[in-house]
């Protein structure tokens, strides 16, 4: 990924000159230039460039002193910049003066509310949570219930409650915030709210839901320049993957996060990203890459602050890697530095972690007393901070140190204590694997190698499932040691697997130890024998305890069969789709051998075919059936090996596994039901089917339509293409006294220019070549009703006088007729062009323009009425479901959110087409997710260089900055016109003739533009 490509650039052209103007002592900064600079600062904050933002704000604060509102906004932005940099006390100081009621009374209510929200967040970060909650709830009483400000207050409340670990309450406030932001399609608010929901999900253990919500936040950000938010999002997604034991995904997300963080001023976040990347790479056994990442993390962290909070954490990670590689002296030095720095900083969590890793280093160095001392220090700190996982890890180290010292009784007591702390959830699998390994070491110390092998075997299954190559290799080594005493013929296999892994990893000390143990095997008979019934009981207990997840349960079953039978291979399959099978776990076969077996098994249908399949492979094929979960298939080869030692049947173990599959499925279903929120159906309403209005802009339009319902006055409907101008025109007709008569639409662009007159006014047979019969024309066809002239701006110039006469006199003269005839028709015209400009250019008659422009209605574009999008989507989804015969189709809220933040250049027509396309492709009962939307709407893109602005409008010494973000070309040009006209009129003291001459317009043209732009020459 190229840094040059994404390097942040200013979103405002010539901002350096703006800064120079602001910093000059001339005091000529205008409110417009200050506002433009403030917008640039906000964009810098989005990009995570808080240092540059602070520099500009320092200048801006000085220049904005005469402007009360701008000064308040600048202070609010400064508070946010300081908060991003971790200067929480200074962040509060920047806005605390606005707690004073008199100060707030001098500001408008919206700005006052924004300040109160930022003050509350500042109190939250300064640990005054009650004050923060009180301020936010007070603000909610003052703002509209469902607006953006209410959304911001709810989002802030959710953040406060997450800080005090009240996650259900935080979730409730986040959902309320979503409802508010959905009214306006605020992409930033929606994205931050989904981010907050995902953080709550992680804290509550709903890691899959967290990844979904983080992913939705990323989609909502789209191509907006928000590097800081994207960095935080990807970084936390990696954290969720850690708990889900998906390190490959975690690495991918961390690389994304680092890429974004390195474009910001938050280098310590980049250092943390590199550190976490290194930890994931260690887990996967990619130690060279891990060391590069950790060294890069240390370099960045020490460059920022060589005694910062991140340094001991990185030293700990790097020290642990060097310890695994056998470089004990260097590891010891790094870990002692980590302990010293963490102690100096007073960070008990880092101290606990560093003491624990240093203790493991002493363990590798065979120094039991030092190991015990470090383990006890770590346990004391873990209990002080109340971290259950840290307590478990510290006690595990204490157990291993006790075993090294020969204190088996103390080790047994601590293991019993740990057993009560570890849950059967997937998040505790690593702890469970380590506990099983230590149980095995305890049994070895007390002389029961057979029982030890069961514990080591389970630890192998867990670490294989987690993908932890080092721990898996170490468990294989321990299992080999146990088998060397209990089943010597099985020991060599495990020593070989351990040695291969240690060799690939570069774990020198572990490799030497394993090779030595393998060489010591002499093929002697087992020193112990076990009764078959005892073995069966142990295996039953082992499988019953493996219900943390379905995958672990099936891994354990395969491991038990491999270890306790004489089979050559064991493979477990499960359904992957309707007609495919996937390999869950295979022992004795590699992927190239097991993959084709899955394909062949998928083709087997009847019992006879299964029997034939099994005979050809000399294998026992056993179906594991569950009433609440997908079935699985067990294949053991050769067939006669499908029994335990002593001829005991596998059936009791298989029944335990089937029950375990049910338990896993029911537990997962219970989790899903707890996390499922209630869905609300969207309903539309309007003047007529499909006419939806709930936004302020459309409500004003509807009010205007109602005002003219009893009038026959001509109406001009304007608006962008696709906004629904014809629908508004039909609504006008439906409310009028002519509603029982015909409504005739006529598109002026759909007819060749030379035929326009005939189509409009009609003709007699023989009036022109091709006129083979009489035609009434659309005006007479609409007699008594309403004629809708769409795209009136495209009406040929030579036809316009005849339309003008009809509007004035109410009569038409068809081609070939000798006398005019009266026709009673109401005219509604529509256009998406600038008729005033066409009049000024001579392309549209001025007198016709005035005749049409008696009542003018503007249909707002979809981006100005985003709150109506959910209702529109629901309406069109129902409409097209009925049309295409689809049933029970729902649209997920995440998909609605993406539709809410779209640009929609095609307006309602584009939205309608999108819903039609989705419904046409859907199946009955389907839930439409963001993945079903068009690619351009999913916004799965990386940030690009921010949009620019137009500057230097006017003559020398004049400068107007026109923002080009989230506006159409027409809106930007209108703003340019407005500013140039205002400047010219101001220059000539309102003299129309002189201003028009300077602007290159006629007096008439300037008056028309003033009318269209709703400007006054005197003003």
């Amino acid at each position: 990924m190229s840094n040059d490509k994404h390097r942040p650039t200013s979103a405002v052209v010539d901002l350096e000159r703006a800064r120079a103007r602001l910093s000059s002592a001339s005091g000529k900064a205008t409110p417009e230039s200050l506002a433009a600079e403030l917008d640039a600062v906000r964009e810098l904050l989005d990009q995570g460039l808080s240092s540059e933002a602070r520099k500009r704000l320092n200048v801006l604060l000085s220049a904005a002193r005469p402007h009360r509102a701008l000064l308040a906004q600048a202070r609010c932005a400064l508070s946010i910049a300081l908060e991003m940099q971790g200067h929480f006390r200074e962040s509060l100081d920047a806005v605390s003066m606005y707690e004073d009621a008199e100060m707030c009374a001098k500001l408008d209510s919206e700005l006052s509310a924004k300040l109160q929200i930022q003050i509350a967040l500042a109190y939250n970060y300064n640990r005054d949570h009650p004050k923060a909650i009180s301020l936010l709830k007070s603000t909610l009483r003052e703002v509209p219930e469902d607006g953006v400000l209410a959304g911001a207050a709810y989002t802030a409340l959710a953040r406060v409650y997450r800080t005090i670990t009240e996650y259900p309450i935080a979730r409730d406030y986040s959902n309320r915030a979503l409802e508010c932001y959905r009214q306006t399609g605020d992409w930033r608010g929606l994205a931050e709210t989904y981010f907050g929901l995902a953080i709550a999900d992680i804290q509550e253990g709903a890691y899959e839901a967290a990844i979904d919500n983080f992913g939705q936040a990323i989609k909502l950000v789209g191509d907006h320049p928000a590097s800081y938010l994207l960095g935080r999002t990807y970084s936390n997604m990696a954290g969720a993957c850690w708990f889900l034991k998906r390190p490959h995904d975690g690495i991918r997300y961390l690389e994304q996060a680092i890429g974004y963080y390195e474009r910001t001023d938050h280098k310590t976040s980049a250092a943390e990203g590199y550190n976490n990347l290194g930890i994931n790479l260690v887990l996967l056994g990619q130690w060279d890459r891990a060391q590069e990442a950790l060294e890069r993390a240390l370099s960045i962290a020490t460059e920022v602050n060589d005694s910062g909070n991140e340094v001991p954490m990185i030293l700990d990670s790097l020290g642990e890697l060097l310890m695994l590689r056998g470089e004990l002296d260097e590891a010891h030095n790094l870990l002692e530095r980590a302990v010293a720095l963490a102690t100096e900083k007073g960070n008990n969590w880092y101290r606990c972690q560093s003491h624990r890793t240093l203790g493991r280093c002493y363990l590798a160095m065979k120094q039991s007393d030092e190991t015990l001392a470090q383990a006890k220090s770590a346990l004391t700190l873990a209990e002080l901070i109340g971290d259950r996982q840290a307590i478990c890890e510290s006690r595990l180290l204490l157990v291993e140190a006790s075993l090294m010292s020969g204190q088996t009784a103390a080790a047994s007591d601590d293991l019993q204590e740990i057993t009560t702390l570890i849950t059967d959830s997937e998040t505790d699998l690593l702890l469970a694997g380590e506990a099983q390994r230590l149980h095995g070491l305890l049994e070895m110390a007390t002389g029961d190698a057979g029982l030890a092998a069961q514990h080591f075997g389970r630890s192998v299954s867990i670490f294989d499932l987690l993908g932890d190559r080092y721990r898996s290799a170490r468990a294989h080594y321990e299992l080999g040691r146990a088998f060397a005493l209990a089943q010597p013929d099985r020991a060599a296999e495990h020593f070989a697997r351990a040695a291969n892994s240690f060799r690939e990893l570069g774990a020198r000390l572990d490799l030497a130890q394993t090779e030595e143990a393998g060489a010591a095997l002499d093929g002697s008979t087992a020193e112990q024998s076990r009764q078959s019934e005892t073995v069966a009981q142990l295996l039953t207990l082992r499988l019953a305890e493996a219900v943390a997840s379905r995958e672990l349960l099936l891994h354990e079953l395969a491991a038990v069969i491999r270890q306790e039978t004489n089979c050559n291979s064991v493979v477990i399959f499960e359904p992957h789709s309707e007609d495919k099978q996937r390999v869950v776990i295979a022992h004795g076969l590699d992927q190239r051998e097991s993959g084709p077996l899955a394909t062949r098994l998928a083709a087997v249908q009847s019992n006879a075919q299964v029997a034939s399949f099994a005979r050809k492979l000399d294998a026992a094929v056993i179906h594991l059936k569950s009433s609440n979960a997908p079935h699985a298939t067990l294949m053991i080869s050769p067939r006669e090996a499908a029994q335990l030692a002593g001829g005991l049947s596998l059936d009791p173990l298989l029944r335990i596994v089937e029950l375990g599959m049910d338990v896993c499925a029911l537990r997962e279903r219970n989790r899903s039901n707890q996390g499922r929120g209630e869905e609300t159906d969207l309903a539309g309403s309007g003047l007529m089917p499909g006419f939806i209005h709930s936004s302020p802009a459309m409500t004003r339009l509807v009010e205007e339509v109602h005002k003219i319902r009893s009038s026959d006055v001509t109406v001009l409907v304007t608006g962008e293409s696709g906004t629904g101008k014809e629908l508004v025109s039909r609504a006008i007709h439906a409310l009028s006294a002519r509603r029982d008569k015909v409504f005739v639409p006529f598109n002026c662009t759909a007819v060749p220019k030379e035929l326009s007159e005939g189509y409009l006014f009609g003709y007699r047979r023989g009036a022109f070549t091709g006129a083979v019969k009489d035609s009434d024309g659309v005006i007479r066809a609409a007699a008594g009703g309403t004629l809708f002239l769409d795209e009136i701006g495209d009406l040929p110039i030579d036809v316009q006088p005849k339309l003008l006469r009809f509007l004035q006199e109410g009569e038409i003269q068809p081609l070939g007729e000798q006398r005019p005839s009266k026709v009673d028709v109401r005219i509604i015209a529509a256009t998406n062009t600038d008729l005033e400009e066409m009049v000024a250019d001579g392309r549209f008659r001025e007198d016709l323009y005035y005749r049409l422009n008696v009542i003018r209605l503007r249909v707002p574009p979809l981006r100005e009425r985003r709150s109506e999008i959910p209702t529109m989507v629901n309406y069109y989804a129902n409409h097209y479901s009925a049309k295409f015969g689809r049933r029970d189709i729902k649209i997920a809220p995440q998909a609605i959110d993406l539709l809410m933040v779209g640009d929609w250049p095609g307006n309602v027509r584009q939205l309608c087409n999108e819903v039609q396309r989705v419904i046409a492709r859907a199946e009955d009962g389907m839930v439409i997710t963001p993945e079903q939307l068009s690619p351009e709407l999913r916004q799965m893109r990386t940030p690009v260089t921010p949009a620019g602005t137009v500057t230097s409008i006017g003559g020398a010494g004049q400068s107007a900055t026109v923002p080009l973000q989230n506006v159409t070309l027409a809106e930007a040009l209108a703003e340019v016109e407005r500013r140039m006209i205002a400047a010219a009129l101001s220059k000539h003291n309102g003299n129309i003739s002189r201003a028009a001459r300077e602007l290159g317009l006629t007096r008439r043209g300037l008056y028309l533009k003033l009318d269209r732009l709703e400007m006054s020459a005197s003003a």
Side-chain angles (χ1 to χ4, degrees):
M1 187 182 299
S2 169
N3 286 335
D4 292 337
K5 178 180 177 182
H6 298 288
R7 184 171 294 132
T9 58
S10 176
V12 179
V13 174
D14 213 10
L15 275 176
E16 288 302 319
R17 286 199 301 166
R19 288 178 64 192
R21 288 199 304 273
L22 286 174
S23 59
S24 67
S26 59
K28 293 181 180 179
T30 64
E32 291 79 9
S33 65
L34 293 172
E37 178 72 355
L38 195 54
D39 287 339
V41 165
R42 293 190 185 107
E43 189 160 297
L44 288 172
L45 292 175
D46 276 344
Q47 295 173 25
L49 301 175
S50 50
S51 297
E52 175 65 15
R54 283 185 64 184
K55 291 177 185 176
R56 294 193 182 189
L57 283 167
N58 288 334
V59 178
L60 186 58
L61 286 168
S62 176
R65 284 175 185 167
H67 310 283
R68 185 180 292 119
L70 285 169
L71 180 62
Q73 292 178 63
R75 283 193 163 276
C76 189
L78 179 61
S79 177
I80 294 170
L82 290 164
E83 173 192 308
M84 289 171 68
Q85 294 180 336
H87 303 312
F88 301 129
R89 183 69 248 176
E90 294 89 335
S91 174
L92 178 59
D93 291 342
V95 288
S96 59
M97 67 286 299
Y98 294 105
E99 280 191 84
D100 182 74
E102 287 187 21
M103 289 286 288
C104 278
K106 298 174 183 178
L107 305 170
D108 66 70
S109 58
E110 181 176 336
L111 178 54
S112 176
K114 288 180 180 177
L115 285 164
Q116 296 309 305
I117 292 170
Q118 182 55 34
I119 291 169
L121 288 173
Y123 273 117
N124 176 57
Y125 287 116
N126 281 280
R127 301 185 181 182
D128 192 345
H129 310 304
K131 177 85 173 193
I133 293 170
S134 175
L135 277 172
L136 289 169
K137 290 188 173 180
S138 174
T139 302
L140 278 170
R141 290 191 289 270
E142 303 297 327
V143 300
E145 290 184 6
D146 56 357
V148 173
L149 289 173
Y154 284 132
T155 300
L157 272 169
R159 193 185 296 186
V160 175
Y161 278 105
R162 286 198 304 273
T163 305
I164 58 177
T165 69
E166 293 288 351
Y167 301 112
I169 300 176
R171 183 182 303 281
D172 180 58
Y173 280 122
S174 289
N175 285 322
R176 293 191 204 180
L178 281 181
E179 294 304 316
C180 295
Y181 288 131
R182 282 170 179 157
Q183 300 298 311
T184 59
D186 185 311
W187 70 265
R188 184 184 287 101
L190 285 167
E192 289 181 345
T193 304
Y194 272 107
F195 176 88
L197 280 170
I199 295 295
D201 288 332
I202 287 179
Q203 298 299 330
E204 293 179 325
Y207 305 113
E208 290 287 2
I211 288 178
D212 289 342
N213 282 325
F214 282 133
Q216 181 70 0
I218 290 168
K219 292 172 188 172
L220 289 163
V221 172
D223 56 359
H224 294 95
S227 298
Y228 183 59
L229 176 57
L230 287 167
R232 291 163 60 213
T233 304
Y234 278 115
S235 181
N236 281 283
M237 285 178 84
C241 288
W242 175 266
F243 290 109
L244 288 169
K245 316 307 176 190
R246 284 158 43 183
H248 291 284
D249 288 339
I251 287 169
R252 181 161 51 86
Y253 293 139
L254 283 167
E255 287 171 342
Q256 292 269 32
I258 290 166
Y260 287 118
Y261 278 140
E262 288 198 320
R263 291 177 228 156
T264 72
D265 291 338
H266 299 268
K267 303 306 179 188
T268 54
S269 296
E272 290 176 6
Y274 275 115
N275 181 68
N276 292 332
L277 178 61
I279 292 171
N280 277 273
L281 290 168
V282 167
L283 182 72
L284 292 181
Q286 300 179 32
W287 288 1
D288 290 337
R289 283 187 63 197
Q291 188 158 344
E292 289 178 12
L294 292 171
E295 288 173 349
R296 173 67 175 149
L298 188 59
S299 172
I300 294 173
T302 52
E303 182 181 335
V304 175
N305 182 358
D306 60 6
S307 60
N309 286 328
E310 299 76 19
V311 176
M313 170 184 67
I314 300 167
L315 288 171
D316 177 81
S317 301
L318 188 55
E320 181 176 20
L321 175 56
L322 294 177
M323 176 189 69
L324 296 178
R325 302 191 96 154
E327 300 171 21
L328 299 183
D329 290 337
E330 189 172 351
H332 177 261
N333 292 335
L334 290 176
L335 292 169
E336 284 200 324
R337 280 180 59 197
V339 169
L341 269 175
T343 303
E344 179 185 329
K345 288 293 179 181
N347 189 315
N348 286 337
W349 195 93
Y350 286 154
R351 286 177 65 196
C352 178
Q353 173 72 23
S354 301
H355 276 295
R356 221 166 32 242
T357 311
L358 181 57
R360 289 175 53 208
C361 185
Y362 282 127
L363 194 68
M365 299 168 76
K366 312 297 184 186
Q367 298 181 21
S368 57
D369 291 342
E370 287 79 359
T371 304
L372 277 169
Q374 295 297 325
K376 289 176 181 177
S377 297
L379 181 58
T380 301
L381 289 165
E383 291 173 340
L384 178 65
I385 59 179
D387 187 318
R388 181 185 65 86
Q389 183 158 343
I391 291 171
C392 289
E393 291 179 358
S394 301
R395 283 195 176 278
L396 287 169
L397 178 61
L398 197 57
V399 168
E400 196 156 7
S402 297
L403 287 172
M404 178 181 281
S405 303
Q407 302 173 29
T408 54
S412 179
D413 291 343
D414 280 323
L415 265 178
Q416 291 300 321
E417 181 72 22
I418 293 169
T419 302
T420 63
L421 293 174
I422 297 177
T423 68
D424 62 353
S425 69
E426 293 183 49
T427 55
D428 277 0
L429 277 179
L430 185 65
L431 295 173
E434 281 295 316
Q436 288 299 319
R437 186 180 69 85
L438 294 179
H439 272 295
L441 290 177
L442 180 60
E443 296 301 335
M444 289 286 285
T446 56
D448 192 341
L451 186 53
Q454 296 300 322
H455 290 298
F456 291 137
R458 188 175 178 197
S459 70
V460 166
S461 297
I462 292 174
F463 295 137
D464 281 345
L465 178 62
L466 295 177
D468 191 325
R469 292 191 64 198
Y470 176 79
R471 284 187 169 91
S472 179
R474 187 176 56 177
H476 273 293
Y477 163 72
E478 302 291 5
L479 184 55
R481 286 180 58 224
F483 276 145
L485 297 175
Q487 295 176 269
D489 56 318
R490 304 299 303 275
E493 175 191 351
H494 294 285
F495 282 143
R497 293 184 65 175
N500 288 335
S501 294
F502 287 140
R503 189 177 296 110
E504 291 172 6
L505 292 171
R508 294 186 296 104
L509 296 182
D510 291 286
L511 176 60
Q513 182 176 253
T514 304
E515 289 177 337
E516 182 181 348
L521 285 174
D522 57 6
S524 60
T525 58
E527 294 180 6
Q528 300 179 13
S529 63
R530 297 172 296 159
Q531 292 186 355
S532 299
E533 293 79 3
T534 304
V535 172
Q537 291 174 2
L538 291 172
L539 296 178
T540 300
L541 180 62
R542 177 172 168 183
L543 290 171
E545 291 178 347
V547 292
S549 73
R550 173 188 171 95
E551 195 166 5
L552 175 61
L553 181 63
L554 296 179
H555 272 68
E556 275 285 71
L557 174 61
V560 163
I561 292 173
R562 178 68 166 147
Q563 292 166 18
E564 299 298 331
T565 70
N566 294 319
C567 70
N568 295 329
S569 65
V570 55
V571 188
I572 298 180
F573 308 91
E574 68 179 5
H576 183 51
S577 61
E578 289 185 6
D579 56 352
K580 293 183 180 179
Q581 293 278 328
R582 82 173 185 95
V583 177
V584 178
I585 181 66
H587 288 304
L589 296 176
D590 60 25
Q591 188 174 358
R592 290 174 299 175
E593 296 169 316
S594 60
L597 287 178
T599 304
R600 291 172 61 185
L601 180 63
V604 171
Q605 300 294 331
S606 66
N607 290 336
Q609 288 176 323
V610 171
S612 176
F613 173 77
R615 278 196 306 272
K616 289 178 182 178
L617 295 172
D618 185 23
V621 176
I622 304 167
H623 293 297
L624 302 173
K625 299 177 181 179
S626 168
S627 57
N628 294 289
H631 295 179
T633 302
L634 170 66
M635 191 180 83
I636 305 170
S637 179
R639 181 196 300 266
E640 62 269 15
Q643 59 182 355
L644 295 173
L648 291 179
S649 172
L650 288 174
D651 285 349
L653 298 184
L654 300 181
R655 300 295 80 78
I656 291 292
V657 171
E658 288 174 337
L659 288 172
M661 289 163 62
D662 272 337
V663 169
C664 294
L666 292 170
R667 181 188 291 140
E668 185 60 35
R669 188 177 304 169
N670 185 48
R671 287 173 184 162
S672 299
N673 289 337
Q674 287 177 351
R676 187 178 299 128
E678 295 183 1
E679 297 181 0
T680 57
D681 292 330
L682 301 170
S685 62
L687 297 173
M688 58 187 298
F691 192 95
I692 296 165
H693 60 91
S694 59
S695 66
M698 284 301 288
T699 300
R700 287 193 295 271
L701 175 64
V702 170
E703 290 171 354
E704 291 298 318
V705 170
H706 275 274
K707 287 178 184 177
I708 60 175
R709 65 184 181 275
S710 59
S711 169
D712 265 354
V713 68
T714 301
V715 180
L716 177 62
V717 183
T718 65
E720 297 176 11
S721 177
T723 50
K725 296 185 289 295
E726 181 174 343
L727 202 57
V728 171
S729 302
R730 288 182 181 274
I732 295 171
H733 170 76
L735 287 171
S736 72
R738 298 174 182 264
R739 58 182 169 272
D740 295 328
K741 302 295 183 179
V742 68
F743 176 89
V744 179
F746 177 75
N747 193 313
C748 298
T749 63
V751 178
K753 291 184 178 181
E754 59 272 12
L755 299 180
S756 294
E757 183 178 351
Y759 270 86
L760 270 174
F761 301 103
Y763 51 83
R764 295 296 299 274
R765 178 182 177 185
F768 53 86
T769 302
V772 295
K773 62 179 181 179
D774 291 352
S775 172
D776 288 340
V778 295
I779 293 179
R780 280 192 290 191
T786 302
L787 175 63
F788 172 58
L789 298 176
D790 199 8
E791 306 299 349
I792 190 68
D794 293 324
L795 189 69
I797 193 74
D798 56 337
V799 179
Q800 292 179 19
K802 296 185 178 182
L803 179 60
L804 175 63
R805 177 174 175 78
F806 169 66
L807 291 172
Q808 289 175 331
E809 308 298 336
E811 61 183 28
I812 61 172
Q813 186 169 354
L815 294 171
E817 291 275 2
Q818 300 302 315
R819 292 193 301 266
S821 57
K822 291 281 187 180
V823 183
D824 178 24
V825 173
R826 182 184 191 178
I827 296 294
I828 300 176
T831 182
N832 63 2
T833 58
D834 187 341
L835 288 185
E836 293 85 353
E837 185 175 339
M838 293 181 70
V839 169
D841 293 343
R843 293 181 287 124
F844 199 86
R845 290 181 63 95
E846 183 177 8
D847 44 5
L848 176 59
Y849 166 76
Y850 285 122
R851 275 289 171 187
L852 293 171
N853 197 32
V854 179
I855 296 291
R856 184 172 185 145
L857 299 177
R858 175 181 175 269
V859 184
L862 192 55
R863 62 182 171 278
E864 293 180 11
R865 43 192 287 217
R866 294 183 188 275
S867 61
E868 295 169 355
I869 289 178
T871 313
M872 288 182 184
V873 170
N874 184 67
Y875 171 81
Y876 287 122
N878 291 335
H879 172 75
Y880 288 115
S881 292
K883 180 177 179 179
F884 300 139
R886 305 291 191 269
R887 292 180 301 172
D888 300 325
I889 293 178
K890 296 183 181 297
I891 301 182
Q894 292 83 358
I896 296 287
D897 291 337
L898 285 189
L899 297 175
M900 286 286 290
V901 301
D903 292 332
W904 301 115
N907 293 292
V908 179
R909 184 183 296 121
Q910 183 185 0
L911 176 64
C912 173
N913 291 342
E914 178 67 20
V915 176
Q916 180 181 5
R917 185 192 66 78
V918 168
I919 299 298
R921 292 183 172 185
E923 299 177 356
D924 290 352
M926 190 175 189
V927 177
I928 305 300
T929 65
E931 284 65 35
Q932 274 83 51
L933 301 179
S934 299
E936 60 270 21
L937 292 174
R938 293 200 296 267
Q939 297 190 6
M940 296 294 286
R941 295 168 287 181
T942 54
V944 297
T945 303
T949 61
V950 175
T951 60
S952 301
I953 300 169
Q958 296 178 338
S959 177
T961 302
V962 182
L964 298 184
Q965 287 181 305
N966 302 320
V967 297
T968 63
L969 177 61
E971 289 170 332
L973 291 175
E975 182 63 20
V976 172
E977 285 186 332
R978 187 177 286 108
R979 295 190 184 194
M980 291 183 69
I981 290 171
L985 288 170
S986 175
K987 178 179 178 180
H988 297 291
N989 297 316
N991 187 299
I992 292 291
S993 298
R994 292 176 182 172
R997 193 178 303 116
E998 178 175 315
L999 294 168
L1001 298 172
T1002 62
R1003 282 172 55 85
R1004 183 182 65 183
L1006 180 54
Y1007 272 120
L1008 287 170
K1009 286 189 179 291
L1010 287 169
D1011 179 55
R1012 177 172 62 85
L1013 298 171
E1014 299 179 353
M1015 296 177 66
S1016 165
S1018 59

